[in-house]
Amino acid sequence: MTDPDRHYKILIDHSPDAIVVHEGRRLVFVNPAALRLVGAHSRDQVVGHLFSEFVDQGSLGALRERIRSLEVEGVPSTPTEMMLRCIGGRQTPVESRSVLTLWEGRPAYLAVLRDLSAQRAAERAAAAAEHQFASVVSTLAEGVVVQDPDGIVQSINAAAASALGVDAAAVVGRDLPRELVRAITVVDTDGRPVAHADLPHATTSRTGRPTRFLLGVTRPDGTQVWLRGTSALIDDHPLSHLVASFTDITAERAAAAQLAYQATHDSLTDLPNRLHVVSVLTETMASAERGPIAVLYVDLDNLKTINDSFGHSIGDAVLREVSRRLRAVVPDGCQVGRVGGDEFVVLLAGPSADTDEVSEAVHHALSRPLELDGWTMGVGASIGHVVVPQGDGRTIDDLLRDADMAMYAAKGAGGNRTVRFSTDRTG
């Protein structure tokens, strides 16, 4: 054996890859790495044997075809995966590359085998982890949508599909945000439509930063849901996919709105309550562009008599009917609220608010008989009238007090009339 041949064999013996040489179908050389790969303790267990003894039947056909295709010495075959049958019956996946060569002066085939066991185990673990992750995401109550940089949906879980009112399988591979804007309405918290370029995924793609959002989405069936969530890049590079996670807060938002409504409205008449009337009056007086304001303080003249004669259920019905009639005669843009048991406030503002005309309309509306539960009854009102010119220095409490005083002046004069407040308490 020449020195180059000796050096060549030394390199092969010390190679970390399994290397075998076969002449025809019979193995003539295996390096230590190949012995370890097939579970052999000595070369005698392998050398001299047919290579088919160590190859799974399902891989033999492709192996023989690859060997027959080798015609030029030194040109390796393309990598091929196959399954080895190791001593003891264990099977091991390998990647094999063969090359036509000379071995001790005779034509032979040298094959390099790379053990794929660790790679396959890692792939199985990754697949299991991905499956587990997908299973977790699919069962989340929070909606999750993954999109590519162009907005094309890569995956969408059941919660997201349900919240958006779409078929999960049908939207994968489509530009869901653009289709949502085209087919249905997406609005912000002020009710303004949101353009495609301003949707969370587009903002995140443009800025590279997470985008928090609260949007109202009208689904294909016409119902609206409110979604709160975050859109963020999955990886820190410009072409990263994006993930949007969100929660359907429609019920929460509706409950909050209902609580806010209940806090500012009278439960019996559904009119704004004193808190709300004072808030509106405060905002109106603070407006730099406001014109004159008028306050009508309306007190029913004989509700106590009705309660005593017919019971409080009839009295409640009277209050509801009075509220309906007041709403009907108060101009649009003006406010009517219930501020006490039988007391109402009408806030008039704007050019259409003729206070004398509205006051007369209230008296006329309440003068009509009420038909309730088979009973006919009448109810009148004493009204205190206060005008609030621009630059008026009175506080809200001052205005309501003055209107209340004028109302009591009307009641003291026999009721069923309006008295305008003046400093001498006459009208």
Side-chain angles (χ1 to χ4, degrees), residues 155-176:
S155 66
I156 178 171
N157 71 348
S162 176
L164 296 171
V166 298
D167 177 6
V171 300
V172 172
R174 292 162 57 189
D175 186 347
L176 179 60

Side-chain angles (χ1 to χ4, degrees), residues 44-286:
D44 292 340
Q45 293 177 280
V46 180
V47 173
H49 291 256
L50 299 176
F51 68 72
S52 59
E53 296 178 34
F54 300 94
V55 179
D56 183 77
Q57 289 294 322
S59 301
L60 274 175
L63 175 62
R64 288 167 176 159
E65 182 65 28
R66 188 182 73 231
I67 291 172
R68 283 194 294 268
S69 70
L70 295 175
E71 297 177 349
V72 179
E73 184 178 331
V75 178
S77 66
T78 56
T80 303
E81 292 186 15
M82 66 180 189
M83 191 69 70
L84 288 185
R85 288 191 301 180
C86 302
I87 294 173
R90 175 174 55 86
Q91 291 193 323
T92 300
V94 296
E95 179 186 83
S96 172
R97 300 187 72 169
S98 296
V99 62
L100 181 62
T101 186
L102 291 176
W103 187 260
E104 296 183 349
R106 298 184 300 275
Y109 298 95
L110 182 147
V112 180
L113 308 176
R114 184 168 67 88
D115 188 353
L116 298 179
S117 298
Q119 180 180 327
R120 291 291 178 267
E123 290 172 352
R124 288 193 298 272
E130 183 176 353
H131 176 73
Q132 185 179 38
F133 177 75
S135 298
V136 170
V137 170
S138 68
T139 58
L140 287 176
E142 188 176 50
V144 178
V145 180
V146 177
Q147 301 160 257
D148 70 11
D150 296 321
I152 304 302
V153 175
Q154 305 301 302
S155 66
I156 178 171
N157 71 348
S162 176
L164 296 171
V166 298
D167 177 6
V171 300
V172 172
R174 292 162 57 189
D175 186 347
L176 179 60
R178 190 178 296 278
E179 293 190 17
L180 284 177
V181 171
R182 183 185 302 122
I184 62 181
T185 303
V186 180
V187 298
D188 62 18
T189 52
D190 294 322
R192 295 186 297 259
V194 178
H196 180 269
D198 295 324
L199 288 172
H201 86 284
T203 303
T204 297
S205 292
R206 186 169 58 251
T207 65
R209 296 190 298 271
T211 303
R212 296 185 181 276
F213 59 86
L214 174 55
L215 297 173
V217 176
T218 302
R219 301 185 290 193
D221 63 2
T223 59
Q224 186 185 58
V225 293
W226 285 91
L227 307 177
R228 180 174 59 203
T230 303
S231 174
L233 297 176
I234 294 177
D235 299 310
D236 189 19
H237 63 79
L239 297 180
S240 169
H241 282 38
L242 303 95
V243 59
S245 58
F246 52 84
T247 303
D248 182 347
I249 63 165
T250 308
E252 174 187 330
R253 188 177 171 88
Q258 181 63 23
L259 287 174
Y261 186 88
Q262 291 173 350
T264 56
H265 285 74
D266 174 49
S267 60
L268 177 64
T269 64
D270 209 32
L271 287 177
N273 60 17
R274 184 182 185 89
L275 176 67
H276 189 61
V277 169
V278 169
S279 175
V280 171
L281 183 55
T282 302
E283 290 179 8
T284 304
M285 290 186 64

